[in-house]
Amino acid sequence: MTATTTQTFTRESAICMGPYTVSMDPALYLSAVEFSDIPEMVRILNINQDVFNGSAIFQYPYLESHAQERIQRAHDHITTHGINTHWAMRTSPTGPLIGWAHLHFEHYNEEHPQPVHPVTGEPLLEAEFGYWLSPEHTRKGFAAKAATYLLHEVIHKEMNCDIVRAVSYVENKASRTVAERAGMTLELESVSLFVSKLGVYRTACCYVSHKDEATKRIVKTNYGY
């Protein structure tokens, strides 16, 4: 995603901030992550190493500085683009964070040109979707409900994003189940990606959701973290 204006945005004028009511039974809401979420985020990500082991980007031990940096980047994206791309899962509209979801737009350049729609020729918007849930709230369907809502009601509709992908390590059955329950389909069964935080290659698979059936021929094969 490339900025096309020098305008700056406020959190009041930005879109996709929420709060969104995802479910009433069990209660689940989504809203933009805030700096006030840092203590709970740090606590949850240090309960065990599940998120570290299942994610290419989250560290362990997870420090306050890690959370501060990540949320600052989320807020900077709002200021620059006027679109929120990081959400907290909550069990009440203003309650504590119990999980996380984020969207990273593809960045294009001469070596990585922006794809176009195979029929209309219009530039396509692609993004990668990620999520995690506190181990204290698993097996309640929260992650799948949140992913389904964000994917279909926010990312495809509000953001007008054409192609959304979610990458999981092949052995991460929980993450893969969330993607499948959200209606994503398997695009790549196996891809080797370099995980910089580990300094090693891991085998992953990629799920995808297309807003338009005509773009299904567009497959991404180059991944790295």
Side-chain angles (χ1 to χ4, degrees), residues 7-28:
Q7 178 183 357
T8 58
F9 298 86
T10 65
R11 295 177 70 75
E12 290 71 30
S13 64
I15 66 170
C16 305
M17 298 290 290
Y20 299 105
T21 302
V22 177
S23 172
M24 295 301 294
D25 185 21
L28 179 63

Side-chain angles (χ1 to χ4, degrees), residues 8-201:
T8 58
F9 298 86
T10 65
R11 295 177 70 75
E12 290 71 30
S13 64
I15 66 170
C16 305
M17 298 290 290
Y20 299 105
T21 302
V22 177
S23 172
M24 295 301 294
D25 185 21
L28 179 63
Y29 301 84
L30 290 160
S31 62
V33 295
E34 305 289 352
F35 288 109
S36 57
D37 289 317
I38 289 176
E40 188 65 3
M41 185 175 177
V42 171
R43 185 192 72 81
I44 289 171
L45 292 178
N46 286 300
I47 291 174
N48 56 38
Q49 296 189 45
D50 286 355
V51 175
F52 172 81
N53 291 333
S55 163
I57 55 177
F58 284 93
Q59 303 92 334
Y60 183 89
Y62 199 79
L63 307 178
E64 183 176 328
S65 60
H66 294 146
Q68 179 79 27
E69 179 182 0
R70 179 159 290 278
I71 294 178
Q72 184 63 61
R73 288 203 303 268
H75 284 216
D76 289 346
H77 190 276
I78 291 170
T79 301
T80 303
H81 299 285
I83 304 173
N84 175 52
T85 56
H86 290 67
W87 300 270
M89 302 180 206
R90 311 181 193 275
T91 56
S92 66
T94 58
L97 170 150
I98 66 164
W100 169 284
H102 63 253
L103 189 76
H104 293 151
F105 287 102
E106 287 281 348
H107 293 277
Y108 305 107
N109 52 42
E110 291 184 0
E111 296 181 356
H112 179 46
Q114 186 170 11
V116 298
H117 194 284
V119 177
T120 67
E122 291 294 318
L124 293 174
L125 188 60
E126 300 173 293
E128 191 172 312
F129 187 40
Y131 39 79
W132 56 257
L133 183 68
S134 167
E136 300 160 316
H137 292 277
T138 57
R139 301 186 182 276
K140 300 176 184 178
F142 284 140
K145 288 178 183 292
T148 301
Y149 188 94
L150 284 171
L151 181 63
H152 299 287
E153 300 300 324
V154 180
I155 300 171
H156 280 319
K157 287 186 180 180
E158 285 192 62
M159 293 182 175
N160 203 31
C161 189
D162 298 285
I163 303 172
V164 185
R165 296 182 174 90
V167 178
S168 299
Y169 295 140
V170 292
E171 71 274 13
N172 191 342
K173 294 182 179 180
S175 178
R176 298 183 65 169
T177 297
V178 169
E180 291 165 1
R181 289 182 178 174
M184 305 184 86
T185 57
L186 193 61
E187 181 178 56
L188 292 175
E189 292 186 9
S190 177
V191 59
S192 180
L193 59 85
F194 183 73
V195 182
S196 58
K197 75 175 186 181
L198 301 175
V200 299
Y201 283 89

Side-chain angles (χ1 to χ4, degrees), residues 211-224:
K211 188 177 68 172
D212 185 339
E213 294 285 320
T215 65
K216 285 189 173 182
R217 70 185 72 174
I218 298 171
V219 177
K220 179 180 176 179
T221 57
N222 184 26
Y223 290 89

